[in-house]
Amino acid sequence: MSENIIETKSYKFAIDIVNIYKELQSKNEYVLSKQLLRSGTSIGANVMEGLRGNSRKDFLFKMNIALKEANETEYWIRLLIDTGYLNKKDNYKLISDCKEICRILNSIVRTTKQNGVDRVEEQEEIYKFDWTLIE
């Protein structure tokens, strides 16, 4: 089985986020770091759920959530840099990786929508019970 780029990148990014969280905790920054941890690790979790979802509609839904979480994470990183909790030079790769994940997820969502997946209607199977089996 081939490697899934977004799954791999979002997992590696989550590891980086956990490490940044630990660094921020050691600097006694608890509120913003918790927000970063929550949104930054949620990206990969939603990607994983989407890739293993029950339907293409579920896939699109989870990828949309992952994209929203990635955008939120970019916000927290920028805020932490602009308030001096994170050094811009030392965390350039982190912000760059986040932007790349946003671009990939945006492309996945856009392509999936163009392929009409957002219009797929889930159809329930109708089970007919054979009453003669219990007679």
Side-chain angles (χ1 to χ4, degrees):
M1 186 175 196
S2 65
E3 175 186 37
N4 184 298
I5 301 286
I6 191 60
E7 183 177 5
T8 302
K9 285 186 180 289
S10 61
Y11 184 78
K12 287 179 181 175
F13 183 74
I15 292 170
D16 291 341
I17 290 294
V18 169
N19 290 327
I20 292 293
Y21 172 77
K22 290 181 201 177
E23 178 187 324
L24 290 166
Q25 292 284 296
S26 72
K27 295 177 181 178
N28 296 321
E29 199 309 299
Y30 301 106
V31 177
L32 299 176
S33 62
K34 192 70 136 186
Q35 292 286 73
L36 177 68
L37 179 69
R38 187 200 55 74
S39 64
T41 57
S42 179
I43 300 165
N46 280 291
V47 166
M48 182 76 78
E49 281 188 63
L51 292 172
R52 288 159 180 75
N54 295 329
S55 66
R56 294 184 309 179
K57 190 174 183 179
D58 190 37
F59 169 81
L60 178 61
F61 179 73
K62 291 297 182 179
M63 292 300 149
N64 262 313
I65 292 173
L67 176 57
K68 289 177 182 183
E69 294 292 342
N71 285 321
E72 180 182 340
T73 301
E74 182 183 342
Y75 171 82
W76 293 122
I77 294 168
R78 287 179 39 227
L79 184 62
L80 286 162
I81 288 171
D82 291 344
T83 55
Y85 283 107
L86 293 176
N87 182 298
K88 187 173 187 173
K89 182 180 160 191
D90 294 341
N91 290 285
Y92 176 79
K93 185 174 178 351
L94 186 68
I95 193 80
S96 178
D97 289 347
C98 189
K99 287 176 183 265
E100 181 182 14
I101 288 169
C102 288
R103 283 191 299 272
I104 293 168
L105 286 167
N106 193 40
S107 178
I108 289 169
V109 168
R110 187 176 51 249
T111 301
T112 305
K113 284 181 178 181
Q114 286 173 350
N115 290 337
V117 174
D118 60 330
R119 292 185 298 270
V120 173
E121 290 185 23
E122 302 288 328
Q123 292 186 6
E124 295 180 24
E125 288 186 299
I126 300 173
Y127 295 99
K128 294 185 179 180
F129 186 74
D130 185 358
W131 289 98
T132 60
L133 295 174
I134 58 169
E135 292 178 348

